[in-house]
Amino acid sequence: MIIDCHGHYTTAPAAHDDWRQAQKAAFAAGRPFPAYPAISDDEIRDTLEANQIRLIRERGADMTIFSPRASAMAPHVGDASVATTWAQVNNDLIARCVALYPDIFAGVCMLPQSPEADMRGSIEELRRCVGMGFVGCNLNPDPGGGHFRHPPLTDRFWYPFYEAMCDLDVPAMIHVSGSCNAAMHATGAYYIAADTIAFMQLLEGDLFADFPTLRFIIPHGGGAVPYHWGRYRGLADMLKKPSLDTHVMNNIFFDTCVYHQPGVDLLADVIDSKNILFGSEMVGAVRGIDPTTGHYFDDTKRYVDALDIPEAEKHAIFEGNARRVFPRLDAQLRKRGL
């Protein structure tokens, strides 16, 4: 199978986005949130068949691990009640996508990480979504939207959530949302910076000694990390940490959302294949056609296909690693005889 570990519902029906604007307006005016609109199954099918499902079929993949649109998670908007309700309606919409196309989509949830809240609401939402069949979550290391005021991922602030992750045996993709900091372009600067910062936080701490089964996917190819792998190996040495292989790389994985061949070549050359998951984030941050190749930037399968690596390693990147990192997905596939 070809399993894309990184997909977002970026093409949700217009009524969903319209409701979000109405929710924000109601909060600002001190009014109750409006009722969520009735969205038909046909509306959902239309948005998916014309976009994600069409591209999955055209590009030769089989299924996508699917979550709400990352840039719209925006937990910094409003208060905890706004974030909680917004997370719930988004996750319910993902559950409907999965129910309509169970062979194509597996659900991953967003979390109501309002900046002033602790992780109790996120734990509740994670448990609710896993109860609906979701296989993972997106964890935002900077819920404030570009100011990095939260403690590092190794801080005990996060420990109750990690305990829930381990109890449920689900991984988290480290994924920030939209930037409210004018100095940080969301997808070109903030996402890549957050990926890199998250890795360094994990390198500095000893989180996996406390949670040896905890698993994180750092998306967008790991940010700047593979390109500066020698720097991080050297920093680990200077900080008197063990080798990265044993210190963090049994628990951290990178995806292939790197939108050119040399970048994916470097990723595969530097990072062990057991730590790489195929991902595209299609219909996401970079949607155009690369004029130098004539192919879409986010058609990342062709980059992995072109790697000069053994077929066993390609199989791990395309399927095996995803099933290992997302054991609930593996169990669902096995139940279907796959």
Side-chain angles (χ1 to χ4, degrees):
M1 295 184 68
I2 310 295
I3 301 172
D4 186 338
C5 78
H6 192 169
H8 298 297
Y9 197 6
T10 55
T11 60
H16 176 76
D17 295 330
D18 291 344
W19 182 86
R20 172 61 163 172
Q21 298 309 313
Q23 184 204 28
K24 292 191 289 186
F27 174 79
R31 301 190 307 266
F33 304 152
Y36 189 74
I39 296 174
S40 70
D41 287 351
D42 284 343
E43 288 178 272
I44 296 173
R45 288 189 186 98
D46 288 346
T47 62
L48 294 172
E49 290 280 357
N51 296 286
Q52 285 87 354
I53 291 176
R54 174 180 61 83
L55 293 173
I56 288 169
R57 290 168 176 161
E58 289 179 359
R59 297 176 183 181
D62 293 297
M63 72 178 307
T64 294
I65 298 172
F66 207 48
S67 65
R69 183 175 185 170
S71 62
M73 295 189 298
H76 60 272
V77 172
D79 62 7
S81 69
V82 174
T84 297
T85 305
W86 180 231
Q88 289 171 346
V89 300
N90 272 281
N91 293 331
D92 288 347
L93 194 59
I94 293 297
R96 292 182 64 188
C97 295
V98 174
L100 289 170
Y101 299 97
D103 295 336
I104 298 178
F105 295 116
V108 159
C109 65
M110 63 179 275
L111 302 168
Q113 294 180 251
S114 182
E116 302 305 319
D118 60 23
M119 295 303 290
R120 284 177 292 182
S122 293
I123 292 168
E124 291 175 6
E125 184 62 8
L126 176 65
R127 291 191 180 279
R128 185 181 80 92
C129 290
V130 170
M132 294 192 293
F134 284 47
V135 300
C137 62
N138 289 337
L139 181 65
N140 189 338
D142 178 40
H147 299 286
F148 294 99
R149 293 180 179 136
H150 263 58
L153 291 169
T154 51
D155 190 89
R156 289 188 175 273
F157 169 85
W158 305 96
Y159 272 37
F161 190 77
Y162 298 156
E163 290 167 359
M165 285 177 58
C166 293
D167 178 49
L168 296 166
D169 202 12
V170 295
M173 179 171 282
I174 303 298
H175 210 308
V176 291
S177 183
S179 172
C180 60
N181 183 340
M184 291 186 185
H185 182 276
T187 56
Y190 183 36
Y191 283 19
I192 307 304
D195 300 334
T196 310
I197 289 167
F199 183 86
M200 188 62 204
Q201 290 176 357
L202 296 168
L203 186 157
E204 287 183 275
D206 294 294
L207 179 64
F208 303 123
D210 289 340
F211 296 98
T213 64
L214 196 64
R215 300 178 302 281
F216 292 132
I217 302 100
I218 299 183
H220 318 115
V225 174
Y227 189 73
H228 292 280
W229 193 241
R231 175 181 293 256
Y232 295 107
R233 289 176 54 241
L235 285 167
D237 181 65
M238 290 172 63
L239 293 169
K240 308 303 181 186
K241 299 296 183 182
S243 166
L244 293 181
D245 291 346
T246 57
H247 184 47
V248 295
M249 295 308 287
N250 290 320
N251 306 82
I252 294 176
F253 306 86
F254 301 151
D255 72 14
T256 61
C257 294
V258 182
Y259 296 143
H260 65 152
Q261 188 68 54
V264 175
D265 290 346
L266 182 141
L267 176 67
D269 186 48
V270 172
I271 303 299
D272 194 306
S273 61
K274 73 179 179 63
N275 293 95
I276 302 173
L277 278 64
F278 170 63
S280 72
E281 203 175 13
M282 65 168 68
V283 200
V286 181
R287 304 187 184 190
I289 294 175
D290 185 342
T292 66
T293 66
H295 299 288
Y296 283 95
F297 284 103
D298 62 5
D299 183 1
T300 57
K301 180 178 178 292
R302 65 176 50 252
Y303 307 141
V304 178
D305 286 336
L307 289 174
D308 185 17
I309 60 176
E311 286 303 313
E313 293 187 20
K314 286 186 182 179
H315 175 267
I317 292 170
F318 277 134
E319 177 183 1
N321 294 340
R323 296 180 72 141
R324 181 164 52 89
V325 174
F326 292 88
R328 287 182 175 270
L329 172 63
D330 182 58
Q332 292 174 8
L333 295 174
R334 288 179 184 277
K335 192 174 181 179
R336 299 205 296 263
L338 298 172

